[in-house]
Each structure stands twice: as C-alpha cells, then as structure tokens.
Amino acid sequence: MADHLHHEHHGADLASAAQATLERSGEQWTAMRASIFQALSSFDKPASAYDIADAVSKIEGRRVAANSVYRILDLFVTANLARRVESANAYIANAHPDCLHDCIFLVCDHCGQTVHIDDDKLSRGVRSAAVAAGFAPERPVIEVRGKCADCA
C-alpha cells in the first residue's frame, strides 16, 4: 500500500463515486443498492443492517428485509463502498471508495461516533507482523475504543 492523498466524497458525489467503483468491479448499481447506499451514507454513526432496512423501508413505503440488506452490505464491503465496524456489527459508508486502505477505526464508547482513518505506515506494520508470525493477512481491521474529542 503506497502512501498518498485522496479525495473524500460527500453527498451526491459520494453516491456517484460508489456507483462508479461498484460498476468497475463488474457489479450493477440497482435501485435497491442505490437506496441502501443512500440510507447507509445518511447515518452519522455506524448503522446496523436493521437500521438501514428500517430507513429504506420508510423511503420505499414497503418492508425491506434485513437479510437482503446484509447481502448488499457484504457486497459493498467487498467492493470497498462500505466498512464494517466489527465490534459493533455495524457499517459506515467509505468516503473514498476508489481508494483501498486497511480499516483503522476510532470508536467513541460514550456517543458511538466512529471515525475511519488511514495510516499506511501502521497498516504495513500490522501486515508485516502477521506475515512474520506465519499468517497471511487479508483484511486487517484495527479498532481503537475510547472517547472522541466531544466526549472527552
């Protein structure tokens, strides 16, 4: 992984970047996938599949099952459109889906706010340590739990 700067997308620009990234991976950007991504990106904290299913159900005016949302979220994680916060079993939209980095999350135990940061030097160190231990790292996830600046 090379160190570099990247553009963080927001709003409609984020949805366009997500669509382009998904289509480059050979997948289709369907109406349901667009609705789920829109709902996911509207949350200011990590959202569960149930949270997203409820939001999409309200928008669509019909019940959307959480298991359908889980399948699409798994696709989004694989395609780098979303990140999974493992300890919370929740998801956040990736603000730079066109750029692949390992996950480093700062999770506030008080308010739940979660920030995704990129630190390629740290990621390389974690990957190197895993390799040195005879392990083949595929998807390192680092979560730092504590208090955000607002709650500290």
Side-chain angles (χ1 to χ4, degrees):
M1 300 188 133
D3 291 325
H4 63 281
L5 298 174
H6 54 311
H7 173 72
E8 293 212 4
H9 302 278
H10 303 280
D13 183 43
L14 175 58
S16 294
Q19 178 178 354
T21 300
L22 188 65
E23 289 174 344
R24 273 195 305 278
S25 76
E27 296 286 343
Q28 294 181 2
W29 186 256
T30 64
M32 180 55 71
R33 290 174 180 175
S35 293
I36 289 172
F37 190 81
Q38 178 185 5
L40 173 64
S41 62
S42 72
F43 286 94
D44 61 350
K45 295 178 185 170
S48 72
Y50 292 95
D51 296 332
I52 296 165
D54 287 345
V56 173
S57 294
K58 288 175 185 167
I59 293 167
E60 298 277 323
R62 64 181 177 87
R63 185 180 172 280
V64 174
N67 63 347
S68 298
V69 173
Y70 270 118
R71 282 193 295 274
I72 292 173
L73 288 171
D74 286 344
L75 171 67
F76 286 176
V77 169
T78 300
N80 200 41
L81 307 184
R83 302 294 187 137
R84 185 169 186 262
V85 180
E86 302 288 336
S87 64
N89 191 25
Y91 301 82
I92 61 171
N94 184 359
H96 43 88
D98 46 353
C99 188
L100 185 61
H101 290 277
D102 291 332
C103 294
I104 303 171
F105 291 115
L106 307 177
V107 182
C108 181
D109 288 327
H110 184 21
C111 72
Q113 184 63 38
T114 301
V115 177
H116 171 235
I117 61 171
D118 297 319
D119 185 328
D120 292 329
K121 183 177 177 183
L122 177 62
S123 295
R124 280 192 300 272
V126 169
R127 285 178 174 275
S128 294
V131 170
F135 189 79
E138 293 182 10
R139 192 176 58 93
V141 177
I142 301 168
E143 294 185 21
V144 180
R145 304 210 50 120
K147 289 186 179 177
C148 68
D150 291 338
C151 295

